[in-house]
Amino acid sequence: MLKLLPFIFVVGCLFPLFANPYWFRIASSVLLLSSLSYAHNLLFYFLGYPAFGGVAFFGLGAYTFSSLYSKGFPLIPSLLLSMLIPSLSALILLPIMLRLKSHYFAISTLAFQVMLMELVENIEFFGGTKGYALNLSHHANIIAYYLFLLALLGLFLLVILLERSVFGRTLKAIKEDETASLTLGINPMPYKLSMLVLMGMSLGFLGGAFSLWSAYIDASTVFNPTLSVKTFFVLILSLNSPIYGPFLWSLFFEMFFETLWSNFPQMHGILLGLGIMLLILAFPRGLKWKRS
Amino acid sequence: MEKVIEVVGIKKAFGGNKVLEGVSFSAEAGKVLGIIGPNGSGKTTLINILSGVLTQDHGKILFMGMDISHEKAYVRARLGIGRTFQIPRAFPSLTVLENLQLAQLHSGKEVSIESVLKRVGLYELRNRYSDKLSLAQGKRLELARALMLKPKLLLLDEVFAGMNPASIREVSEVIKGLKEEGLCIIMVEHVLSALMPFVDEIIVLADGRVIYWGDKYGAFKEEKVRRAYLGEKYSSFRV
């Protein structure tokens, strides 16, 4: 399947040229959701930390980008800072949370997300409840699409690299048995911090790109807990297939969501919830994939 | 003989439960020190404290003359303290070979993986995932991982538990070889028949205290040792 990657990438690059606006929007959503999933998996799959509130870095990136770009900062520096600010905040705040495990860590990151959401909504400097409306050209969503595609490619290759490297095996050792890994001379903290920074940078970049796609951001959009739910739905189903699973399940999820929305507009929420429950019951650890 | 480890006044409590109450002893290079005692006497807690997995409440630990009382477990491993666990804790998503590669990488020591695998009898299983190993094979893997640290002190926690007689003989030969190479080995063990042939000294722990430290043959002549194992009723029974 990896041999198809260049072909798939070329198709992805050419897609905006022949797709109608409807399918272009769906493709952008798929790229965004799968990139969010790969980014969260850096901490979840490799280290076992479920950052339910990881969307906080996405929101932080979106706000960083929007506040700079709306004031005339160029695109690339704004994007770079949308990566830097979330990764720095991850480095400062999350090491304390890394002492927690499993659901305790998950809840503490959710609390962090809610805290940030309240902060930006209540401080005018960050846009308050008005948020940011960006004055963008009509090509901005195409630029955003290519940024999502770039992020997806980068994260996909990173996951493959980690799966096949000693660094990645060290991460898995820490996840599977941190105590045993300590007795082999492994210091877990640099590994945890580096994955934290990578996750923060990736999510911040995606947040910046999302601002271009959406043209308007506010706290309820970019700190939306529904994004976390969708992401972790994909991740749970991808537990046994960390390389291809996030992309394939994101594709399935967005198509499923779109089908429900188009055909059952009043009931799509209920049906979506039921569908998620049934899928998780049927595949509690995702679809089996052979060990890489 | 060079003292590899000196333990002075180690105390450890979990809440109100005092597990170790002032344990002191030392061990030398090229010697095997056996730690025995009834269940719940604090043997594994002591091993956990020596390896840095747990921190003592009071007391000091000197390794090669260096105070390591507050050093983290990964630092102690890099200094040359290797250990095994009572229940094997290999990394299930890694193969036998990958487990050893990790140990080699992070210890920074030049040790041949192939020679260690052959020594513990796991060379043929090097590409098997460690969650597919039997209990005895898992214990050999743990021993191999510890040897990748090129340890000066090896802490073995019930390494013979769950092994058949043939495996016990094979692993005993490995331990005897390591002893002859000058390694200091501390073994927590219940399988006394396997331990006694090559152990040099015995410590008996009971209720978190050292009730005997000395010659292996003298241990069971002591009434307090018999009382700890057999209870008050049978403590006067002589072997």
Side-chain angles (χ1 to χ4, degrees):
Chain A
M1 205 152 158
L2 262 183
K3 289 175 190 168
L4 295 174
L5 182 63
F7 171 73
I8 295 170
F9 183 66
V10 168
V11 167
C13 288
L14 297 175
F15 190 79
L17 303 176
F18 54 82
N20 64 32
Y22 174 76
W23 287 107
F24 176 76
R25 184 178 62 79
I26 304 264
S28 301
S29 301
V30 170
L31 292 177
L32 176 61
L33 181 59
S34 43
S35 301
L36 283 171
S37 305
Y38 281 112
H40 276 84
N41 240 5
L42 294 176
L43 218 53
F44 181 57
Y45 171 74
F46 286 102
L47 281 170
Y49 283 98
F52 278 9
V55 160
F57 301 112
F58 176 82
L60 207 50
Y63 264 84
T64 304
F65 178 87
S66 301
S67 61
L68 292 169
Y69 198 67
S70 63
K71 289 175 177 68
F73 260 65
L75 175 70
I76 293 175
S78 301
L79 271 175
L80 289 174
L81 281 167
S82 74
M83 291 165 70
L84 182 66
I85 303 294
S87 58
L88 281 177
S89 67
L91 209 52
I92 294 164
L93 293 165
L94 258 58
I96 302 163
M97 293 186 206
L98 283 176
R99 291 169 191 269
L100 303 168
K101 296 277 181 197
S102 187
H103 33 282
Y104 299 105
F105 176 80
I107 298 296
S108 67
T109 58
L110 257 180
F112 175 63
Q113 179 186 331
V114 169
M115 181 190 81
L116 271 183
M117 189 167 99
E118 292 295 321
L119 202 69
V120 299
E121 272 193 330
N122 288 287
I123 298 178
E124 277 306 312
F125 178 79
F126 297 120
T129 51
K130 293 195 305 293
Y132 277 100
L134 297 177
N135 191 9
L136 300 171
S137 70
H138 66 277
H139 294 303
N141 60 347
I142 295 176
I143 296 173
Y145 171 92
Y146 284 110
L147 290 174
F148 291 156
L149 185 64
L150 187 67
L152 178 60
L153 179 70
L155 286 163
F156 180 77
L157 292 173
L158 179 62
V159 167
I160 291 175
L161 191 68
L162 287 171
E163 268 287 291
R164 296 175 181 187
S165 68
V166 174
F167 187 92
R169 287 199 282 274
T170 305
L171 293 172
K172 284 191 201 171
I174 294 166
K175 177 179 89 170
E176 287 166 3
D177 198 327
E178 188 167 333
T179 301
S181 68
L182 284 168
T183 65
L184 295 184
I186 297 173
N187 177 6
M189 198 45 85
Y191 291 90
K192 292 181 183 181
L193 290 178
S194 55
M195 297 310 278
L196 206 55
V197 166
L198 278 173
M199 186 186 81
M201 276 171 55
S202 315
L203 292 173
F205 178 86
L206 289 167
F210 177 81
S211 303
L212 279 176
W213 189 58
S214 172
Y216 170 75
I217 62 146
D218 65 358
S220 62
T221 318
V222 297
F223 291 106
N224 192 344
T226 311
L227 268 175
S228 298
V229 170
K230 282 166 77 170
T231 306
F232 273 88
F233 168 71
V234 166
L235 290 184
I236 287 166
L237 290 170
S238 307
L239 271 174
N240 279 326
S241 52
I243 296 177
Y244 304 109
F247 176 71
L248 294 173
W249 281 110
S250 296
L251 182 63
F252 168 81
F253 185 88
E254 288 294 339
M255 297 306 300
F256 179 58
F257 182 81
E258 192 57 37
T259 307
L260 288 177
W261 176 263
S262 318
N263 294 292
F264 306 100
Q266 266 102 33
M267 288 184 61
H268 81 279
I270 297 168
L271 292 171
L272 180 67
L274 272 171
I276 289 173
M277 279 163 57
L278 287 170
L279 267 172
I280 296 289
L281 283 168
F283 305 108
R285 287 191 62 82
L287 282 177
K288 263 220 164 291
W289 200 273
K290 71 172 179 159
R291 256 197 256 233
S292 53
Chain B
M1 254 299 180
E2 181 192 13
K3 269 188 196 167
V4 172
I5 187 128
E6 278 182 82
V7 176
V8 183
I10 294 292
K11 290 185 183 179
K12 179 70 181 175
F14 295 103
N17 181 23
K18 293 179 186 173
V19 178
L20 294 172
E21 295 198 69
V23 169
S24 301
F25 64 90
S26 60
E28 295 170 352
K31 295 278 174 74
V32 178
L33 173 68
I35 300 181
I36 65 174
N39 290 332
S41 54
K43 304 185 296 296
T44 295
T45 301
L46 180 58
I47 295 291
N48 283 338
I49 286 172
L50 294 179
S51 60
V53 167
L54 286 176
T55 310
Q56 70 282 3
D57 297 330
H58 297 281
K60 210 185 328 186
I61 303 167
L62 298 171
F63 175 66
M64 307 298 290
M66 195 173 20
D67 189 345
I68 61 163
S69 308
H70 301 289
E71 293 291 0
K72 291 188 167 41
Y74 70 88
V75 173
R76 297 187 199 196
R78 291 176 191 176
L79 286 173
I81 298 179
R83 71 159 294 170
T84 65
F85 290 89
Q86 205 171 351
I87 297 167
R89 294 168 76 157
F91 307 117
S93 67
L94 304 183
T95 63
V96 168
L97 184 63
E98 286 167 348
N99 268 270
L100 265 60
Q101 283 170 340
L102 267 192
Q104 182 186 52
L105 174 73
H106 294 284
S107 69
K109 305 277 170 58
E110 303 246 348
V111 180
S112 161
I113 292 177
E114 186 179 328
S115 64
V116 168
L117 281 173
K118 285 179 177 170
R119 190 169 196 176
V120 303
L122 283 181
Y123 185 73
E124 304 302 322
L125 299 175
R126 62 193 181 280
N127 292 317
R128 185 173 292 187
Y129 281 97
S130 49
D131 60 345
K132 301 291 182 227
L133 298 176
S134 68
L135 175 66
Q137 289 165 343
K139 284 184 178 254
R140 288 175 192 245
L141 174 56
E142 287 228 319
L143 180 58
R145 272 194 336 200
L147 293 179
M148 293 306 300
L149 303 176
K150 217 174 183 178
K152 299 182 188 74
L153 170 65
L154 195 55
L155 306 169
L156 303 176
D157 195 350
E158 297 193 38
V159 70
F160 294 130
M163 284 191 182
N164 61 34
S167 292
I168 289 175
R169 273 195 302 276
E170 285 169 21
V171 173
S172 296
E173 287 307 312
V174 174
I175 295 171
K176 279 182 208 164
L178 292 170
K179 174 183 163 178
E180 281 159 19
E181 288 168 17
L183 212 59
C184 173
I185 301 170
I186 295 178
M187 294 180 68
V188 166
E189 211 31 84
H190 280 302
V191 185
L192 298 181
S193 56
L195 180 69
M196 295 305 254
F198 53 81
V199 76
D200 297 294
E201 281 186 315
I202 292 252
I203 281 175
V204 182
L205 276 186
D207 296 322
R209 288 192 167 89
V210 175
I211 60 169
Y212 176 84
W213 176 18
D215 171 63
K216 60 184 173 182
Y217 298 112
F220 291 96
K221 293 175 185 168
E222 296 278 323
E223 188 168 326
K224 51 189 171 183
V225 174
R226 290 200 304 276
R227 192 182 309 130
Y229 267 100
L230 303 173
E232 192 68 47
K233 190 176 176 185
Y234 299 103
S235 61
S236 56
F237 180 76
R238 286 187 180 274
V239 178

